[in-house]
């Protein structure tokens, strides 16, 4: 868990953040279901990883180093690039 420096406790113990982070359980369940249907060898673990990878991909494209040369957010080119990245990830997890 990530530590909140000001309080020295994991962020999951902060009530407001726990509520926000709790929304991720739905995404993880959906990813697990998707990967189960796709024949992934360990869909529970890989579902969690899939969500984390996509979170990181979106962060990179919106505010990380990838934002420096990625197509503008919301454009067809951006959607196509993100779609290709997610397809590559799904192939890697189910191969």
């Amino acid at each position: 868990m990530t530590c909140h420096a000001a309080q020295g406790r994991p962020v999951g113990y902060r009530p407001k953040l726990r509520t926000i982070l709790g929304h991720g359980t739905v995404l993880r369940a959906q990813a697990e279901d998707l990967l189960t249907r796709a024949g992934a060898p360990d869909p529970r673990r890989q579902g969690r990883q899939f969500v984390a990878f996509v979170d990181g991909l979106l962060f990179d494209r919106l505010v990380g180093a990838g934002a420096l040369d990625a197509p503008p957010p919301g454009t067809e080119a951006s959607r196509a690039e993100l779609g290709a990245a997610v397809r590559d990830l799904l192939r890697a997890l189910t191969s």
Side-chain angles (χ1 to χ4, degrees):
M1 258 187 211
T2 305
C3 209
H4 183 264
Q7 295 179 350
R9 297 185 312 199
V11 294
Y13 290 104
R14 297 182 63 209
K16 288 181 183 177
L17 286 177
R18 268 192 92 65
T19 300
I20 293 167
L21 294 173
H23 294 293
T25 59
V26 173
L27 296 173
R28 283 170 165 55
Q30 290 172 338
E32 181 180 343
D33 180 59
L34 172 73
L35 291 167
T36 297
R37 289 183 284 119
D42 187 354
R44 182 162 190 241
R45 178 182 56 81
Q46 292 171 301
R48 292 189 310 261
Q49 291 175 339
F50 177 80
V51 172
F53 293 150
V54 172
D55 280 350
L57 176 65
L58 293 174
F59 177 87
D60 178 68
R61 294 300 177 91
L62 294 174
V63 296
L68 297 174
D69 60 4
T75 63
E76 184 58 38
S78 177
R79 287 189 293 277
E81 246 186 54
L82 289 170
V86 171
R87 281 190 299 280
D88 289 346
L89 174 59
L90 284 171
R91 270 195 230 62
L93 291 172
T94 58
S95 296

